[in-house]
Amino acid sequence: MAAWGDERRDDPAPCREQDHGRFEVTQRDGRARLGRLHTSHGVLETPALLPVVNPNIRTIEPRVMWDKYGIQALITNSYIMWKHEDLRTVAQRDGVHGLLDFPGVIMTDSGTFQSYVYGDVEVGVDEIVAFQRSIGVDIATMLDVFSRPDMKMAEVEHAVRETEARAAQSLEAAGTTMLNGPIQGGVFRELRHISAQLMGQHDFAVHPIGGIVPVMEQQRYKDYAKIMMATLPLLPPDRPVHMFGCGHPMLFPMSIALGADLFDSAAYALFARDGRLLTPWGTERIDDLIDWPLLMPCVAGTTPADVRAMEAEAKEQLLAHFNLEVTLAELARCKQAVRDGRIWQLAEQRSHQHPALREAYLWLTTSPSLQRGVRPEKFYTDRDAARDVDRDQGMWEDAWDWMVWSQQTPRVGGVQWGGDDTFSRPHIAKARRHLHMRWTHDANMEQAVIFHGIRGPFRERINDLLEWLNIHHPNVQPMVLTPLGLIPASLEDLNPFAHLDAPPWVLRHEPEAAWIERELQRLGMNDVPFATVDVAGDGLKQRLAASLTTLGLHNDVHAPLTLEERDEARHQLRIKQGQDKQMVLLNVGHEVAHDVMNGATFVVNREGRMKNINNAAGEHMFSPRLRDGGLSMATAGAQALFDRRSEALPSALPRTEWWGHSGQGPAVVIVDDDAEPFVRKGRNVFHGFALACDPWLAPGEPCLIANQTGEFLGHGVSQCTSTELACLSKGIAVKTRGGVRR
Ligand code: GUN
């Protein structure tokens, strides 16, 4: 039997011809995505790290990368091959895969980076692309013009315009070879915008973000984050984004959270040459170590002292293996975090490893210019220093919207409190926006009673009181105060609000009147008189009575309800819950939600919680979900919302995402005639079969499906935003939950 690591892996199967160059998204967490890029040397799973292989100095043999580490793609430099006669001859004779002895995906760079390091390169724009094509690379790179962070705006603009001016001829020279279209723009937000827009209009397969190596070398990670936020929202979402020259694992979680798909690393080899070890928290020198910072497979059984005693080449080799293993392990961790919906949490944890990374993270999540007041800022009073109140003010809102609105909410599972950072996680911002934009109180509302003081769910403590209030004070809006914000009591089980795993003192903070007032304002309840009631401990009824007194209301909370009153109250509270959840979770307007609940009947479990909401004819409309407090739509509910839609159906696939809509109901997706019979049978909608959709389509949110003549076909859960629906051509667009047969 072969020793561990000596097995040979089979060569990859080429993709189907019709899929060549396509990129599909298989899982996501906000803008972080797991994808598949189809090439003739296999389907590359992303996020992926492409180790840099210098064709002259192979610190780790490409074949070892393939066989031992399962590395599916690498990057090498075509300019070096073009320049060296011996390499060029072999590459042209055996192809680049033969030259490097690597059966997977090979990307090549063009010489731009050499021009940045050594000055001009003498190769022509068409020539270098034609050369890459001639040696059979999978993904070639055009000769872009490098933009350094120290350049003046005019110089950077020239780099951006000149790069774009070369795009068409480079694509022409590439023929069917996939081509990288790098985005330049230095540290100028507007120029990154322009570059992304201009390059995005050409038919590139991948967009690398260029000019970031010096930014990373100088550890300007806030600028790195800004470059990403200025660029990615403007790129076509069906193309992978490559962070050119980014191979330090410390940057992976944040980059992936912001939407990066590909990385390349020379760092594993360069740092090894220097006796340095990469870790997810930075870099360590082998000379300083008694123990390994991480016990990677290649160093099991040795100590740093053993390795120091090795001869130079063997030591460099081993450290390169160590660095590659650490890098791959961190990438694997990020991929799992995307599957688990925790990539932002990982980015948050990693941000504590380096001050510059922390600065970048805080700029992203707490800069007031990004936030539009969505945070419960009670928790942020000590963080002014982190804020970037500079000339950026107000310029990044669109980018942050782009991030927030791609988040899935509600989610399953507890929200793990991690200090103040918890409150600015983008999926929590999204949950708050949904609530603030979509929920509206009843017209008869005059006052509010606010319960607080425990972790959700509140219902066991307050259900009797809610029933009593419903009968005796129907104009009082009951609310629940959570550390993540103020919510109507009807949403008391909704994730994330009800699911914060935090120490008791976070949950039991004294409610501050000013904060509550701001929260009420955000809910459209300006100047509404309110009183608070601590729910923890004995004497709850007395505390409610006292609060009612402060509102000038009668307070005989001990007077029992009659059985009829109790049943009526329960019915009313169920109606209210169905209505409020439709508003917040399905984007239904107040009147329509009310109308849909008219005549509704309920199936309840033994504890009296609603399992199903049926219409007057007994058809299943919705089910409140116990695990996340969400609301699942059933076919009769979807039909009811479709029938009550007042806007015209969408007639095109939007070019921009837009979430300013509230109250128009779940987004509608119009599919073509080929897809119709499948949807009617409850089968998923695939990319390429949608003709139109509403611009507020968002991943994880329910949507309605119709045909071109406006007939309702079914409903499902969208896997994408509207622009993604417009661009992507492979993969599932909508997971269909129910279809209507003819
Ligand atoms: N490698 C690192 N940065 C760059 C860049 O901006 N352009 C190209 N072509 N290669 C790079």
Side-chain angles (χ1 to χ4, degrees):
M1 206 181 105
W4 174 81
D6 288 349
E7 296 91 347
R8 226 177 139 91
R9 276 174 71 221
D10 291 340
D11 286 357
C15 68
R16 297 188 315 169
E17 208 177 314
Q18 68 268 32
D19 288 339
H20 184 254
R22 284 188 177 165
F23 180 60
E24 64 180 304
V25 176
T26 54
Q27 296 229 29
R28 69 185 304 154
D29 177 6
R31 296 289 170 181
R33 50 199 191 169
L34 303 190
R36 286 158 59 82
L37 179 63
H38 295 254
T39 82
S40 34
H41 287 87
V43 178
L44 173 60
E45 287 168 24
T46 65
L49 169 84
L50 284 60
V52 175
V53 172
N54 182 329
N56 284 317
I57 321 160
R58 303 178 183 190
T59 319
I60 300 178
E61 277 298 322
R63 177 54 71 174
V64 173
M65 292 180 181
W66 173 263
D67 285 336
K68 182 169 176 179
Y69 292 119
I71 285 169
Q72 295 177 307
L74 55 75
I75 182 166
T76 186
N77 200 296
S78 66
Y79 179 68
I80 295 177
M81 294 181 202
W82 177 82
K83 231 178 122 90
H84 292 88
E85 182 75 37
D86 47 342
L87 290 173
R88 188 195 321 200
T89 311
V90 181
Q92 284 184 320
R93 188 191 63 211
D94 300 343
V96 69
H97 294 83
L99 172 74
L100 296 181
D101 185 23
F102 185 74
V105 178
I106 298 184
M107 180 188 279
T108 41
D109 202 350
S110 55
T112 299
F113 197 64
Q114 278 64 28
S115 75
Y116 156 63
V117 179
Y118 307 113
D120 258 358
V121 292
E122 64 269 33
V123 72
V125 171
D126 307 340
E127 194 180 6
I128 193 66
V129 175
F131 174 67
Q132 294 173 76
R133 179 183 174 187
S134 74
I135 61 173
V137 309
D138 297 291
I139 309 165
T141 302
M142 63 168 283
L143 194 68
D144 49 321
V145 181
F146 198 91
S147 54
R148 296 191 318 268
D150 60 318
M151 280 175 162
K152 299 231 158 47
M153 194 166 182
E155 284 175 284
V156 177
E157 177 158 11
H158 173 263
V160 166
R161 304 260 176 218
E162 178 59 24
T163 297
E164 199 265 335
R166 299 175 179 180
Q169 68 187 106
S170 302
L171 281 158
E172 172 93 32
T176 55
T177 302
M178 292 158 72
L179 194 64
N180 272 329
I183 308 302
Q184 297 293 343
V187 288
F188 297 100
R189 194 181 58 92
E190 303 82 348
L191 294 179
R192 289 280 172 186
H193 278 348
I194 291 170
S195 184
Q197 270 171 332
L198 292 177
M199 298 296 280
Q201 284 164 15
H202 295 277
D203 197 16
F204 289 107
V206 176
H207 286 296
I209 310 299
I212 56 175
V213 169
V215 176
M216 291 184 289
E217 282 170 350
Q218 294 161 29
Q219 299 191 317
R220 293 166 62 175
Y221 298 142
K222 185 169 81 174
D223 286 329
Y224 175 91
K226 286 184 176 181
I227 289 169
M228 289 193 77
M229 290 292 269
T231 310
L232 270 66
L234 292 142
L235 288 175
D238 57 340
R239 300 177 189 174
V241 173
H242 178 152
M243 303 310 292
F244 245 153
C246 175
H248 200 302
M250 192 170 72
L251 287 169
F252 289 175
M254 182 178 81
S255 307
I256 290 171
L258 296 177
D261 304 295
L262 299 172
F263 300 89
D264 68 81
S265 175
Y268 75 100
L270 297 177
F271 282 56
R273 201 165 302 158
D274 230 15
R276 288 190 291 167
L277 303 180
L278 299 177
T279 74
W281 52 86
T283 309
E284 305 200 7
R285 304 195 66 83
I286 183 144
D287 290 347
D288 302 335
L289 297 175
I290 304 279
D291 290 305
W292 297 112
L294 288 161
L295 192 61
M296 304 315 288
C298 65
V299 294
T302 67
T303 65
D306 296 337
V307 176
R308 277 198 294 272
M310 289 163 86
E311 52 129 327
E313 200 176 321
K315 175 174 139 190
E316 182 183 329
Q317 274 263 338
L318 188 59
L319 294 187
H321 276 271
F322 181 96
N323 287 341
L324 196 58
E325 287 176 3
V326 167
T327 307
L328 293 172
E330 182 66 353
L331 192 66
R333 219 169 272 130
C334 290
K335 286 164 81 171
Q336 191 56 40
V338 173
R339 291 185 198 104
D340 296 344
R342 295 190 182 276
I343 191 64
W344 273 94
Q345 201 182 323
L346 185 63
E348 174 188 315
Q349 287 162 0
R350 291 288 186 254
S351 75
H352 291 280
Q353 310 287 4
H354 190 286
L357 203 53
R358 185 72 191 146
E359 186 193 25
Y361 183 86
L362 289 177
W363 176 80
L364 281 167
T365 57
T366 69
S367 172
S369 60
L370 287 172
Q371 290 290 341
R372 284 199 183 153
V374 294
R375 288 168 297 119
E377 62 282 80
K378 173 183 185 310
F379 296 96
Y380 287 87
T381 47
D382 60 344
R383 303 185 61 158
D384 289 351
R387 297 179 177 174
D388 201 10
V389 193
D390 57 15
R391 67 197 166 81
D392 286 345
Q393 188 87 34
M395 287 181 176
W396 295 94
E397 285 150 349
D398 289 350
W400 191 242
D401 280 355
W402 172 84
M403 177 56 64
V404 167
W405 286 100
S406 67
Q407 302 291 316
Q408 289 101 317
T409 187
R411 299 173 173 208
V412 177
V415 176
Q416 287 184 0
W417 179 77
D420 284 358
D421 284 352
T422 320
F423 307 104
S424 44
R425 289 182 192 150
H427 80 96
I428 289 173
K430 166 97 174 259
R432 286 174 55 77
R433 287 189 191 187
H434 269 176
L435 179 71
H436 297 155
M437 284 173 58
R438 295 174 169 185
W439 183 77
T440 41
H441 58 77
D442 288 338
N444 61 354
M445 188 272 305
E446 288 167 2
Q447 287 156 316
V449 166
I450 296 173
F451 297 99
H452 68 93
I454 60 168
R455 181 192 196 269
F458 277 63
R459 58 185 166 273
E460 274 143 38
R461 301 280 301 154
I462 65 171
N463 259 1
D464 290 352
L465 306 181
L466 294 181
E467 288 165 13
W468 185 88
L469 279 170
N470 183 272
I471 296 297
H472 290 282
H473 298 296
N475 297 349
V476 168
Q477 169 67 51
M479 314 284 294
V480 163
L481 185 65
T482 78
L484 299 177
L486 185 65
I487 54 178
S490 52
L491 303 179
E492 61 81 34
D493 62 345
L494 184 62
N495 175 283
F497 303 101
H499 296 166
L500 186 66
D501 294 327
W505 56 264
V506 173
L507 302 163
R508 280 205 53 73
H509 57 267
E510 262 312 298
E512 280 170 20
W515 183 45
I516 293 176
E517 278 161 17
R518 268 197 305 280
E519 286 284 281
L520 285 170
Q521 255 175 29
R522 291 181 178 128
L523 289 162
M525 296 167 68
N526 302 20
D527 304 325
V528 170
F530 67 90
T532 59
V533 181
D534 188 347
V535 171
D538 295 338
L540 175 54
K541 281 191 176 173
Q542 283 84 343
R543 287 196 294 279
L544 175 60
S547 290
L548 291 173
T549 308
T550 66
L551 293 174
L553 297 172
H554 93 80
N555 59 21
D556 192 6
V557 290
H558 293 284
L561 298 180
T562 65
L563 279 181
E564 291 77 38
E565 282 174 331
R566 197 199 62 186
D567 286 348
E568 174 58 18
R570 287 185 181 173
H571 185 79
Q572 288 305 330
L573 290 172
R574 286 177 187 140
I575 297 260
K576 185 91 181 89
Q577 194 184 105
Q579 184 184 314
D580 287 358
K581 288 200 171 175
Q582 279 184 71
M583 279 194 262
V584 173
L585 299 164
L586 304 178
N587 194 34
V588 178
H590 188 279
E591 307 314 313
V592 170
H594 188 75
D595 188 41
V596 168
M597 293 303 292
N598 199 5
T601 57
F602 307 99
V603 180
V604 296
N605 69 11
R606 258 182 291 155
E607 287 98 50
R609 291 185 76 184
M610 283 193 288
K611 279 186 0 191
N612 290 344
I613 301 175
N614 294 340
N615 63 18
E619 294 161 324
H620 183 195
M621 293 199 293
F622 308 107
S623 288
R625 289 193 300 267
L626 300 187
R627 60 178 192 276
D628 63 358
L631 188 69
S632 294
M633 207 160 47
T635 305
Q639 177 89 59
L641 297 179
F642 187 80
D643 293 345
R644 286 168 177 77
R645 179 175 164 118
S646 52
E647 280 201 24
L649 289 174
S651 57
L653 287 165
R655 294 170 62 84
T656 51
E657 296 167 5
W658 169 247
W659 308 277
H661 296 79
S662 57
Q664 286 92 335
V668 169
V669 174
I670 307 284
V671 296
D672 69 14
D673 296 346
D674 291 340
E676 175 168 345
F678 292 97
V679 173
R680 286 190 182 276
K681 280 188 233 157
R683 309 272 278 277
N684 294 335
V685 177
F686 285 87
H687 283 294
F689 294 89
L691 300 170
C693 78
D694 286 315
W696 61 94
L697 188 76
E701 292 191 30
C703 61
L704 307 172
I705 310 166
N707 66 13
Q708 284 178 83
T709 52
E711 276 178 290
F712 175 68
L713 303 179
H715 64 100
V717 177
S718 176
Q719 305 299 298
C720 57
T721 65
S722 55
T723 56
E724 288 165 352
L725 188 71
C727 291
L728 286 159
S729 58
K730 195 161 169 58
I732 301 174
V734 178
K735 284 195 174 158
T736 303
R737 293 281 187 249
V740 288
R741 292 182 186 256
R742 266 194 209 283

